[in-house]
Amino acid sequence: MAAQCVTKVELTVSCQNLLDKDIGSKSDPLCVLLMSSSNSQWYEVERTEKVQNCLDPKFAKKFVIDYYFEMVQKLKFGIYDIDNKTIDLSDDDFLGELDCTLGQVVSSKKLTRPLVLKNKSPAGKGTITISAEEIKDNRVANFEVEARKLDNKDFFGKSDPYLEFYKQTGTGWQLAHRTEVVKNNLNPTWRPFRIPLQSLCGGDMDKPIKVECYDYDSDGSHDLIGIFETTLTRLQEQCSNQYFKSYFNSLLKLDAVVKEYTFLDYIMGGCQINFTVAVDFTGSNGDPRSPQSLHYISPQGVNEYLSAIWSVGNVIQDYDSDKMFPAFGFGAQIPPTWQVSHEFPLNFNPSSPFCAGIEGVVEAYRVCLPQVKLYGPTNFSPIINHVACFAKQALQQTTASQYFVLLIITDGVITDMDDTRNAIVNASRLPMSIIIVGVGGADFSAMEFLDGDDGRLRSLSGEPAMRDIVQFVPFRQFKNAPREALAKSVLAEVPGQVVDFCNTMKLSPPNSTPAPNPAGTM
């Protein structure tokens, strides 16, 4: 079934009177959002930033989730005092939580409830407030901000300024964005940033916004340097050829207000997702005739390779109109010459490696398996470069007509790591994502290195990837999970990767006129 268009809801969180777990200072709270899956297991959706030394935090980071009227969507907001750099929250002080449903939040629009501890007793006088807003406007405001001759609030050294942008609501000002801190500088230039118009002014260019400048102090007692109010309309008018002078003598430049396309804008606008499968036929998989082999097809007709193909392919095939999928193998000796190949078509037809639907991919795999000799080594770069050639051709078009997703299913350690790193860095500049599913019980630490979640992947020469395009998961984590769980995990980042690439390259959906820009641009 094709993915439905759903309403997206943005949740803003703040707390008051939190428990103070720190000695000599105040708690450093963070909010984590959990949702309940279909089998009633809680899973983490996202986290806010940590707010230093504060018992009444207003979190700038928003939670954006899909809202389904016909479903009870259970939410759990957990508040933790963060005192270390580990991702694990079990070693941080728990400050309280709230269980509720998304329906309760949206029907209230602004829900305030007491926080409770794990035993359901009150978490002191702590409360949490969640505000909900439907996202209807996907325009963003691009800002460039610098300041000159700021007041010096520090006795030793200079001020460490940062900015906060506020949206006006019916009940007061709501934090929309917080910049980074520029250390020891009275003439700071902040990194360019963007704020969704929905978060900043509810999409109304004439609605007041407030900007506050503070001198950051590690104990949480930030000193106010100055405040001013304005509107985006006024900023644009005054920024056409000059900077905007604020109360605290900053030069604030509104670069542009632009409409950003969503993933569904691209999909519904005609962007095709081209899906390619690559299967590992190296000798470490074991003899396919042996039940111990990862390629052994059970009496029920399955193995981990087939399960991964079915799970991911069933979701992604809805986004490809002709449903003809190229499928390749690597690391085997193939007939008739028995030379090792690292990109051979599963149907042995180099001029047309396409399979009709996911059923065709599965059938080609079954037919191919007894005809090849498993060998080695495990080289990823040839197949990555193969798909990258087609992605590069697609980039010559002026719209976002095609995006390529390569699924690599493998049992072990990469032999050509350096070439693979170079291939991924090159592919990061193309309309392409790579999903790696690790089957069997091998050590997959090298795969996790390629998945740039811990930092930007670099080529051998030190060139950084333009964006993170690799998603790796070990199949063993999903062995006893529903079939859709694997696809949900590995495909979760693809929509963001598509949007990130197309917006960066300023590509519009094929079947649309350039995005209307009601606010105008600079």
Side-chain angles (χ1 to χ4, degrees):
M1 193 172 120
Q4 296 174 298
C5 286
V6 295
T7 300
K8 288 196 176 295
V9 174
E10 182 185 79
L11 303 180
T12 301
V13 181
S14 61
C15 298
Q16 284 194 302
N17 301 314
L18 292 178
L19 293 170
D20 193 357
K21 294 283 188 174
D22 289 353
I23 299 170
S25 64
K26 300 186 181 80
S27 293
D28 307 321
L30 167 153
C31 178
V32 59
L33 172 62
L34 305 176
M35 291 186 74
S36 177
S37 62
S38 54
N39 60 354
S40 300
Q41 295 293 311
W42 289 101
Y43 63 93
E44 182 175 327
V45 178
E46 219 170 1
R47 302 178 184 189
T48 67
E49 78 282 10
K50 177 180 79 172
V51 178
Q52 197 92 10
N53 278 306
C54 187
L55 302 182
D56 303 308
K58 296 171 183 168
F59 299 104
K61 168 80 176 173
K62 317 286 182 181
F63 298 124
V64 177
I65 52 180
D66 294 339
Y67 167 64
Y68 297 92
F69 174 76
E70 65 276 15
M71 286 172 57
V72 177
Q73 292 171 272
K74 295 179 181 177
L75 310 178
K76 187 190 294 285
F77 297 86
I79 310 297
Y80 291 83
D81 173 23
I82 307 299
D83 289 317
N84 54 52
K85 293 185 177 179
T86 64
I87 293 175
D88 189 3
L89 293 172
S90 63
D91 55 2
D92 295 301
D93 290 321
F94 180 66
L95 302 180
E97 65 182 18
L98 170 70
D99 285 17
C100 62
T101 68
L102 185 55
Q104 288 174 323
V105 178
V106 296
S107 61
S108 305
K109 200 166 184 184
K110 189 172 187 177
L111 184 74
T112 300
R113 291 283 186 274
L115 289 165
V116 297
L117 300 174
K118 296 290 185 186
N119 61 7
K120 302 306 175 189
S121 64
K125 295 181 179 178
T127 62
I128 184 169
T129 298
I130 304 130
S131 303
E133 206 160 335
E134 183 182 352
I135 296 179
K136 297 176 181 173
D137 191 334
N138 53 0
R139 288 175 297 164
V140 296
N142 294 319
F143 286 95
E144 297 174 15
V145 188
E146 58 187 69
R148 294 292 173 265
K149 300 178 182 175
L150 291 179
D151 289 347
N152 192 5
K153 299 289 185 178
D154 289 351
F155 192 69
F156 299 106
K158 301 186 179 80
S159 294
D160 306 315
Y162 69 94
L163 301 175
E164 291 185 339
F165 285 69
Y166 284 86
K167 168 187 182 178
Q168 190 181 59
T169 70
T171 54
W173 294 99
Q174 181 175 287
L175 180 64
H177 183 81
R178 183 184 291 123
T179 68
E180 81 278 12
V181 176
V182 179
K183 289 281 190 182
N184 203 35
N185 198 326
L186 301 181
N187 300 292
T189 298
W190 287 274
R191 289 194 295 267
F193 57 92
R194 52 179 51 186
I195 310 176
L197 258 64
Q198 190 67 29
S199 300
L200 186 59
C201 58
D204 183 353
M205 298 283 292
D206 295 313
K207 194 171 189 176
I209 60 174
K210 182 170 70 168
V211 184
E212 298 182 352
C213 183
Y214 288 92
D215 169 33
Y216 175 85
D217 286 313
S218 58
D219 64 2
S221 61
H222 313 304
D223 298 311
L224 181 65
I225 295 176
I227 302 175
F228 73 91
E229 290 183 27
T230 185
T231 66
L232 286 181
T233 299
R234 203 181 314 153
L235 270 179
Q236 281 205 312
E237 288 168 353
Q238 293 180 286
C239 287
S240 53
N241 291 306
Q242 62 182 13
Y243 286 111
F244 178 84
K245 289 193 178 295
S246 74
Y247 172 78
F248 51 85
N249 200 33
S250 76
L251 304 171
L252 189 151
K253 182 182 179 186
L254 178 61
D255 183 43
V257 174
V258 295
K259 178 180 184 292
E260 283 200 339
Y261 291 107
T262 65
F263 178 65
L264 284 177
D265 284 334
Y266 286 109
I267 294 303
M268 297 166 75
C271 179
Q272 294 289 301
I273 305 293
N274 297 295
F275 181 49
T276 301
V277 178
V279 177
D280 182 336
F281 285 96
T282 55
S284 52
N285 283 278
D287 185 341
R289 294 167 295 186
S290 163
Q292 279 70 50
S293 170
L294 292 166
H295 278 299
Y296 175 73
I297 298 177
S298 72
Q300 291 76 36
V302 296
N303 62 25
E304 292 189 7
Y305 282 95
L306 286 170
S307 296
I309 292 170
W310 275 118
S311 178
V312 178
N314 271 334
V315 173
I316 218 161
Q317 67 178 347
D318 288 333
Y319 301 97
D320 188 318
S321 58
D322 69 5
K323 298 188 175 22
M324 296 296 290
F325 305 116
F328 297 89
F330 60 92
Q333 294 175 318
I334 61 170
T337 62
W338 302 109
Q339 293 293 306
V340 175
S341 174
H342 299 292
E343 47 169 319
F344 62 90
L346 294 188
N347 63 7
F348 299 109
N349 185 351
S351 61
S352 182
F354 300 97
C355 303
I358 298 306
E359 297 87 351
V361 175
V362 168
E363 183 59 25
Y365 167 77
R366 289 176 188 272
V367 172
C368 168
L369 191 55
Q371 298 186 59
V372 300
K373 294 178 182 174
L374 275 57
Y375 205 71
T378 308
N379 290 353
F380 280 15
S381 60
I383 191 64
I384 294 173
N385 290 331
H386 177 94
V387 176
C389 282
F390 291 95
K392 196 170 185 179
Q393 290 173 16
L395 199 54
Q396 294 170 2
Q397 301 175 29
T398 55
T399 61
S401 59
Q402 297 184 77
Y403 194 91
F404 293 79
V405 174
L406 169 60
L407 170 64
I408 301 175
I409 314 171
T410 183
D411 82 316
V413 180
I414 303 172
T415 312
D416 66 336
M417 177 58 89
D418 291 343
D419 288 341
T420 295
R421 283 168 59 185
N422 292 339
I424 291 171
V425 169
N426 290 335
S428 72
R429 290 160 175 72
L430 301 172
M432 179 173 168
S433 294
I434 301 168
I435 295 165
I436 304 173
V437 175
V439 296
D443 175 11
F444 291 120
S445 53
M447 308 295 180
E448 289 163 0
F449 169 72
L450 295 175
D451 185 340
D453 290 345
D454 293 333
R456 194 59 62 91
L457 181 71
R458 292 180 180 271
S459 69
L460 201 55
S461 63
E463 181 188 6
M466 187 176 91
R467 56 201 182 95
D468 178 13
I469 64 166
V470 177
Q471 174 77 345
F472 167 75
V473 297
F475 186 87
R476 56 181 175 245
Q477 287 185 0
F478 300 90
K479 229 170 181 176
N480 301 315
R483 178 189 278 184
E484 61 269 18
L486 173 66
K488 212 169 181 180
S489 176
V490 296
L491 295 174
E493 294 183 12
V494 170
Q497 289 169 350
V498 172
V499 171
D500 181 30
F501 177 80
C502 295
N503 281 333
T504 300
M505 305 301 288
K506 296 182 168 50
L507 296 174
S508 303
N511 303 333
S512 75
T513 52
N517 194 356
T521 56
M522 300 306 309

